[in-house]
Amino acid sequence: MNLSIDVNETDILLEITVNGEIDAYTAPKLRDTIFPLSEKNGVNMVINLSGVSYMDSTGLGVFVGVFKNVKANGGQFKINGLSGRLERLFEITGLADIIDVNSQIEGEVK
């Protein structure tokens, strides 16, 4: 399955919408697209996964790396739009306790 990544950047927010499946085949494309964006100082990044039907550990690895980079550069990072299956994946791995999957970042439109 293909993966599509849409990036919408404003002065205060970087919104990324991901659609498709995130696995060993598509994770490099995801990483190559969003990792450079995470290097901006003070970036407020929100990733919407409502269109993601499947994700494996390689996808989780991408998000952990991007999260660490955003935090190291003084930014905020949030993931929203998780299906029940993806939410459970974040909970089981303990990432839901580390990565913000709930609250709203300033400037984000619900």
Side-chain angles (χ1 to χ4, degrees):
M1 172 148 201
N2 288 332
L3 183 72
S4 69
I5 306 161
D6 296 316
V7 177
N8 181 22
E9 188 170 9
T10 65
D11 290 340
I12 58 172
L13 188 65
L14 181 63
E15 292 180 284
I16 300 166
T17 304
V18 183
N19 292 291
E21 295 182 357
I22 305 171
D23 57 21
Y25 178 74
T26 60
K29 176 182 176 182
L30 179 65
R31 185 191 185 289
D32 291 347
T33 302
I34 66 174
F35 195 81
L37 300 172
S38 71
E39 296 177 327
K40 295 181 178 186
N41 286 327
V43 67
N44 291 327
M45 183 180 287
V46 176
I47 300 181
N48 183 325
L49 299 181
S50 61
V52 173
S53 57
Y54 173 82
M55 181 168 55
D56 67 13
S57 61
T58 54
L60 288 175
V62 169
F63 291 123
V64 168
V66 170
F67 166 76
K68 286 181 177 180
N69 212 28
V70 167
K71 290 299 185 181
N73 288 301
Q76 295 183 61
F77 182 80
K78 177 185 173 189
I79 294 176
N80 66 19
L82 296 176
S83 66
R85 172 180 261 176
L86 292 183
E87 186 174 356
R88 182 85 174 123
L89 182 62
F90 277 84
E91 288 173 1
I92 288 171
T93 59
L95 292 175
D97 296 331
I98 300 166
I99 296 175
D100 184 356
V101 294
N102 293 315
S103 68
Q104 185 174 354
I105 291 177
E106 181 181 336
E108 179 187 4
V109 177
K110 282 191 170 184

